[in-house]
Amino acid sequence: MKYFEEMLLLGKWNDAESYLSRFTRIDDNMHSTKIYFEIRKQKYLEALDIDNRTKALDILVKDLKVFSSGREELFKELTQLLTINNIRENASLSTYGETNSVRRIVADSIMKLIEGNPEFHEKLKCPTFKTQRLYHLLNQSLNWQYLVSKDPHRVPDMKTFLMDPSSLQSEDNNSIENPKSDTTMEVHNVLSLEGRPSQMSKENGYQNDLQDGRSNSFEESRKNSNLWNDLQICDSSSHCNFLELQTHPKISKILRLAYTNEGNGILALGSNGHHLLWKWPSNNLNPDGKATTQVPPYIWQPAGSDLQLMMSNELTSSYSGDPISCFSLSKNDSYLMSTSGGPISLFSMSSFKTLTTIMPPPPMATCLTFYPRDNNILAVGMDDLSILIYNVCTNKIISKLEGHSKRVSDLAFSISFDLLVSIGVNDEIFVWDTNEWKKRKEGYLQIYGRRLPEVVSETHIQFHLYQRHFLVVRSDYLAMYEATDLKCCNQWVPQVAVVISQATFSSDGQAVYVSFVDGNVAILDTLKFQIRCRINLSTYLSTTLSSSISALAIAAHPHKPSQFVVGLTDGRIFVFEPRKPEDWNRFSR
């Protein structure tokens, strides 16, 4: 941030704000708002100090008025500065020094705000790159150059790395056709990267495999559904590592689980509205501080707080509807939105304080999720069949989406395609355009080409890593749908008497972790829903898994594709990962 600091010291306020906007927006959080305010206030004071009142008035109206809401007295005081000849006549500015010294003070203050701003977490230092990383980036660029070149027979070369690929033509096609050509072999090695395709190739390959498999996926899914009893069971510590998290006397039933986006903690919501946060230490045994089965985490609480301090939702008392629990973490792990049938609570993850409560029932919130592009915007499904797009910062409803005939069960955003997908308890799906908040498409879930019977089901959805497809999870059904046209690409219907409680993608999108009410966990391949292995949780429990105890919640680590966590109805939580760093394929038959 040395470059940014130099702009502040030189008084290049507009350039500094433009540079800052690439990292954070004015309404991302209180730290960001304060930084923008300090920059604009100093620009205003310097205009007044050189007696350029026309410029100062323009700054006041265009730049500073945005901060006036809730700060009317401060804005009034700034306005009054226009009426005096010397800003130092104002009591609060009596010690205002010469320009360079004041800029130094302002710059130091802003740099401290940046250091404490969660939007800048892990962005203030250049990351350490592995030696192969540049090679990967070059390979990806050459792959792209090859795909968009006008000459499909042309082999990309490092000499043309910075050239417009659309203008490139092959100079000697004969050398390409010769498999023994030195140039061809050299470029082949660059393109293949020892057999590991680039991310773009992976995504394209995934899309093609999913599309190619659509025609026969229904029949294959019927066959895969019968594999349950023939699977190899991962039933001992020799097969995989597991870790039971420390329990808490106030949590008796786990309803929702999520990893922090940083991957260093796990957040749980109990049936009584209490939340627990476990965090992993960073030490010699766990250098990166990420969640692992090799080092136990601790129940985290704010420094200096009461050991009993918890983030707790208000439970409904007067509303007659069945309470529904759900939560959503902001992308920077700074804020938590949560509800347990009562009003929605906004918590600070650093202090556990309840910052505000909104939308008390009726109607009751049935699902919610942060808008990935803006931490201040929340999408909330309601049991009055509507979806509210709500700005937490301004406390205003941006839009109200209507069309569902039954209450909304879940919501998911695709930022790549600017979509919001909603699903109702009657399996009715809507696709909304997030630019205008308008309905784009609607339809119903189907099994083998037929609409599902209209039975109320708490159906959940989650977008795949590449954002084009989303997973549908019902108690009796898994499916993959293409978001823009709502076509079913694959589905899995168990033919045995099992009830799905929850399912989630692995972080790389290659697997689906499925928890069942009977205490089993299945790991499925994403493309064809073939079961890789089954884990029987009772094998790992210190006590026998009774019929009254079941697995209700499951979540996947955001950075480690082979790690997941399962929550039980008795309050226990288990983290699983294979003993070796590869995935779970080695357990398949």
Side-chain angles (χ1 to χ4, degrees):
M1 297 300 287
K2 188 68 176 176
Y3 174 68
F4 178 69
E5 186 178 10
E6 289 176 355
M7 285 190 285
L8 297 177
L9 295 175
L10 292 173
K12 296 181 178 180
W13 305 113
N14 292 335
D15 292 342
E17 183 169 328
S18 176
Y19 185 73
L20 178 68
S21 67
R22 301 172 190 175
F23 297 88
T24 184
R25 287 171 294 192
I26 192 170
D27 56 356
D28 274 344
N29 54 52
M30 290 182 290
H31 291 82
S32 298
T33 303
K34 178 68 172 174
I35 294 170
Y36 276 94
F37 174 74
E38 290 298 329
I39 290 175
R40 296 179 183 184
K41 183 185 75 172
Q42 185 57 29
K43 181 170 63 170
Y44 176 65
L45 292 178
E46 289 189 9
L48 288 172
D49 201 28
I50 61 173
D51 203 28
N52 190 340
R53 299 190 180 276
T54 302
K55 180 180 179 181
L57 178 61
D58 187 63
I59 295 170
L60 182 71
V61 174
K62 293 182 178 179
D63 295 340
L64 288 170
K65 192 172 183 179
V66 68
F67 302 102
S68 62
S69 179
R71 305 175 183 87
E72 288 78 8
E73 288 300 319
L74 175 60
F75 187 73
K76 183 179 179 181
E77 184 178 354
L78 289 172
T79 304
Q80 289 175 344
L81 293 176
L82 287 166
T83 65
I84 57 179
N85 294 325
N86 189 334
I87 58 174
R88 293 165 185 81
E89 295 175 10
N90 182 283
S92 61
L93 294 172
S94 58
T95 59
Y96 189 90
E98 57 90 20
T99 301
N100 288 333
S101 62
V102 173
R103 286 177 182 172
R104 179 74 267 175
I105 295 171
V106 171
D108 289 344
S109 173
I110 289 175
M111 297 309 292
K112 289 180 181 178
L113 286 169
I114 288 176
E115 291 176 2
N117 192 332
E119 288 291 319
F120 290 85
H121 184 64
E122 295 186 346
K123 295 179 182 177
L124 300 180
K125 294 181 180 179
C126 290
T128 303
F129 290 100
K130 294 181 179 179
T131 55
Q132 303 93 337
R133 189 66 58 85
L134 179 59
Y135 189 45
H136 279 253
L137 293 173
L138 292 174
N139 170 71
Q140 188 172 1
S141 298
L142 289 174
N143 274 335
W144 173 77
Q145 188 182 93
Y146 174 76
L147 288 174
V148 301
S149 174
K150 290 181 178 180
D151 183 358
H153 298 292
R154 188 190 171 281
V155 176
D157 187 84
M158 286 301 298
K159 297 176 182 178
T160 64
F161 181 70
L162 297 177
M163 296 176 64
D164 180 2
S166 63
S167 64
L168 298 177
Q169 300 293 332
S170 174
E171 296 179 0
D172 185 7
N173 282 335
N174 292 328
S175 65
I176 300 173
E177 294 173 359
N178 180 2
K180 296 183 180 180
S181 165
D182 292 338
T183 304
T184 306
M185 292 303 294
E186 180 181 356
V187 174
H188 172 75
N189 287 335
V190 174
L191 287 174
S192 66
L193 196 59
E194 300 177 352
R196 290 171 290 183
S198 68
Q199 183 69 17
M200 180 173 64
S201 300
K202 286 181 180 179
E203 180 171 352
N204 290 335
Y206 170 81
Q207 307 294 356
N208 292 334
D209 289 344
L210 205 54
Q211 297 298 326
D212 292 342
R214 180 185 292 174
S215 59
N216 60 3
S217 62
F218 295 157
E219 184 58 35
E220 288 184 359
S221 65
R222 289 180 187 270
K223 295 177 182 178
N224 294 338
S225 301
N226 293 313
L227 295 178
W228 188 262
N229 294 325
D230 299 328
L231 292 172
Q232 179 177 347
I233 302 176
C234 177
D235 59 358
S236 73
S237 58
S238 63
H239 290 152
C240 64
N241 294 323
F242 72 100
L243 175 69
E244 181 175 358
L245 303 190
Q246 177 185 351
T247 58
H248 193 283
K250 288 189 176 182
I251 303 292
S252 59
K253 184 178 183 180
I254 304 298
L255 296 182
R256 293 288 184 270
L257 280 174
Y259 281 89
T260 59
N261 292 296
E262 192 175 344
N264 65 343
I266 290 175
L267 180 68
L269 173 59
S271 57
N272 55 2
H274 295 319
H275 301 80
L276 274 184
L277 176 62
W278 292 264
K279 281 193 175 182
W280 269 260
S282 178
N283 52 35
N284 293 335
L285 296 176
N286 190 34
D288 63 2
K290 305 298 184 184
T292 175
T293 56
Q294 302 304 304
V295 176
Y298 55 92
I299 296 179
W300 189 88
Q301 290 192 303
S305 66
D306 183 352
L307 293 178
Q308 299 301 313
L309 178 64
M310 303 181 77
M311 295 181 287
S312 300
N313 289 329
E314 294 181 28
L315 302 180
T316 181
S317 56
S318 58
Y319 185 55
S320 59
D322 294 330
I324 295 176
S325 297
C326 51
F327 66 60
S328 180
L329 266 174
S330 64
K331 63 182 179 182
N332 56 14
D333 293 330
S334 296
Y335 304 104
L336 169 69
M337 276 289 190
S338 184
T339 181
S340 296
I344 299 173
S345 298
L346 172 64
F347 297 101
S348 166
M349 290 288 286
S350 60
S351 66
F352 284 4
K353 291 182 179 179
T354 304
L355 302 179
T356 187
T357 57
I358 58 174
M359 302 184 191
M364 178 180 65
T366 56
C367 53
L368 54 83
T369 183
F370 276 105
Y371 181 37
R373 294 192 187 278
D374 190 339
N375 279 334
N376 292 308
I377 296 178
L378 191 70
V380 186
M382 312 296 290
D383 68 352
D384 68 351
L385 319 184
S386 67
I387 301 167
L388 301 182
I389 309 301
Y390 181 81
N391 189 310
V392 180
C393 187
T394 63
N395 195 28
K396 292 182 179 179
I397 295 174
I398 299 173
S399 184
K400 184 176 183 178
L401 311 182
E402 296 179 309
H404 278 279
S405 58
K406 297 289 184 181
R407 68 172 172 82
V408 184
S409 179
D410 206 2
L411 300 162
F413 281 104
S414 169
I415 56 174
S416 298
F417 294 90
D418 294 323
L419 298 176
L420 170 65
V421 175
S422 60
I423 192 164
V425 293
N426 60 342
D427 298 320
E428 187 178 20
I429 314 173
F430 282 81
V431 180
W432 311 88
D433 186 321
T434 58
N435 293 315
E436 300 180 348
W437 301 112
K438 301 291 185 182
K439 182 174 65 177
R440 181 181 291 187
K441 198 172 184 63
E442 63 180 293
Y444 283 89
L445 294 184
Q446 296 182 345
I447 291 183
Y448 307 125
R450 298 181 180 179
R451 181 177 163 182
L452 276 66
E454 189 164 313
V455 177
V456 173
S457 173
E458 293 298 330
T459 307
H460 298 282
I461 52 179
Q462 179 192 9
F463 265 98
H464 185 266
L465 173 67
Y466 300 140
Q467 298 281 297
R468 180 183 294 275
H469 299 86
F470 62 90
L471 177 69
V472 177
V473 184
R474 274 183 32 138
S475 60
D476 57 351
Y477 171 80
L478 292 179
M480 187 87 73
Y481 274 77
E482 204 277 338
T484 56
D485 60 9
L486 290 183
K487 289 183 179 179
C488 182
C489 303
N490 199 6
Q491 53 192 331
W492 185 72
V493 183
Q495 299 301 308
V496 294
V498 293
V499 178
I500 300 170
S501 55
Q502 227 172 59
T504 184
F505 282 120
S506 60
S507 62
D508 62 0
Q510 299 300 307
V512 178
Y513 298 119
V514 188
S515 62
F516 297 86
V517 171
D518 64 3
N520 283 288
V521 174
I523 303 170
L524 280 65
D525 173 80
T526 298
L527 286 178
K528 297 183 181 296
F529 282 162
Q530 292 177 334
I531 305 179
R532 296 178 180 179
C533 75
R534 174 165 63 101
I535 297 176
N536 189 341
L537 294 181
S538 62
T539 307
Y540 300 89
L541 304 184
S542 55
T543 58
T544 304
L545 187 66
S546 68
S547 58
S548 61
I549 300 175
S550 59
L552 280 188
I554 193 167
H557 193 285
H559 311 301
K560 297 182 178 182
S562 297
Q563 187 186 120
F564 64 92
V565 60
V566 180
L568 306 183
T569 52
D570 64 354
R572 287 182 290 178
I573 296 176
F574 293 85
V575 179
F576 286 89
E577 56 189 353
R579 289 184 64 84
K580 294 185 178 181
E582 70 259 24
D583 59 20
W584 298 92
N585 275 325
R586 63 195 184 93
F587 293 119
S588 60
R589 296 187 307 133

